[in-house]
Amino acid sequence: MNNQAPRLSPLFRSDTQAGILARVLFNPDRSYTTADLSRAVGSSYATTHREVQRLVSLGLFRQEAVGRAIRVSADTSDPAFEHVLGLLRLSYGPTAVLPRVLGGVTGIIEAHIYGSWAARRLGEPGSPPRDIDVLVIGDPPRSAIYDAADAAESALGREVNIRIVSPEAWEAGEDLFIQTVRERPMQRLTLQAESE
């Protein structure tokens, strides 16, 4: 079981719990199995199952049998929903929102959060991040990246800066910006298609 104190918000029980909450509450129109959530937050199935059951019993998640699978979704009618979502928006929202908004953009090979948010997420002390810096490696349409940044800003309530780097430039690593980013904490995003 993950007993480590959450790095971005000590108000949550664990990073696993906060990650599960963020994934489900930021996507209230979707439902997830425990296995889906386990993969998304990088936690064991057993730990994820315990956290999901706690959140169901608290009323933040609804549980429904779909065929042989049990799926959970956000209970947006719960009085705590907006308040918990607000706390998540400040801390764990980027890893729940960015994979979805970038997942539908063609031409992206990799995406990472870097800068102060990634540093805080990976345990580096400092002031709370004011914006989210995202590195996209690939050759996506710029208009789609601008739209993704706008969607992420709307969901997260803060500025999202997306910088595109070509695969060749990233591989060469000669640019000062790329060298600096590589030397600092980064949080890789596992992109998901809009339908996931």
Side-chain angles (χ1 to χ4, degrees):
M1 185 162 135
N2 180 359
N3 290 323
Q4 181 178 358
R7 292 169 277 208
L8 287 171
S9 178
L11 298 174
F12 294 105
R13 183 183 150 79
S14 66
D15 280 326
T16 298
Q17 181 201 51
I20 292 167
L21 278 164
R23 180 61 58 130
V24 175
L25 298 189
F26 274 105
N27 299 288
D29 55 334
R30 297 178 181 178
S31 66
Y32 300 90
T33 66
T34 298
D36 295 335
L37 294 170
S38 177
R39 282 188 300 274
V41 302
S43 178
S44 73
Y45 183 90
T47 298
T48 304
H49 178 74
R50 280 191 297 273
E51 291 297 346
V52 165
Q53 291 310 304
R54 281 187 187 100
L55 296 167
V56 167
S57 69
L58 286 171
L60 286 169
F61 288 3
R62 292 184 181 144
Q63 187 169 268
E64 169 185 26
V66 178
R68 295 178 66 191
I70 302 296
R71 300 186 71 83
V72 294
S73 58
D75 185 349
T76 58
S77 68
D78 187 279
F81 174 81
E82 288 296 331
H83 301 288
V84 175
L85 187 63
L87 289 172
L88 289 167
R89 188 173 284 121
L90 296 173
S91 53
Y92 289 84
T95 56
V97 171
L98 288 164
R100 180 173 41 87
V101 299
L102 291 172
V105 178
T106 60
I108 297 178
I109 297 169
E110 288 180 38
H112 302 266
I113 301 174
Y114 68 97
S116 59
W117 191 91
R120 298 307 157 272
R121 174 71 176 96
L122 297 173
E124 188 175 289
S127 59
R130 297 184 185 277
D131 61 0
I132 308 298
D133 297 311
V134 181
L135 174 71
V136 166
I137 301 165
D139 188 24
R142 291 200 179 273
S143 61
I145 291 297
Y146 297 145
D147 290 346
D150 288 344
E153 285 180 2
S154 177
L156 297 171
R158 70 173 78 183
E159 186 178 345
V160 175
N161 306 301
I162 302 178
R163 179 138 180 197
I164 302 169
V165 172
S166 74
E168 297 79 18
W170 181 251
E171 189 65 35
E174 295 171 358
D175 181 90
L176 182 59
F177 166 76
I178 292 172
Q179 291 173 9
T180 303
V181 167
R182 284 182 165 179
E183 292 171 0
R184 302 284 300 134
M186 288 193 303
Q187 174 78 46
R188 186 170 183 157
L189 297 171
T190 302
L191 303 185
Q192 63 189 62
E194 283 289 338
S195 61
E196 286 182 21

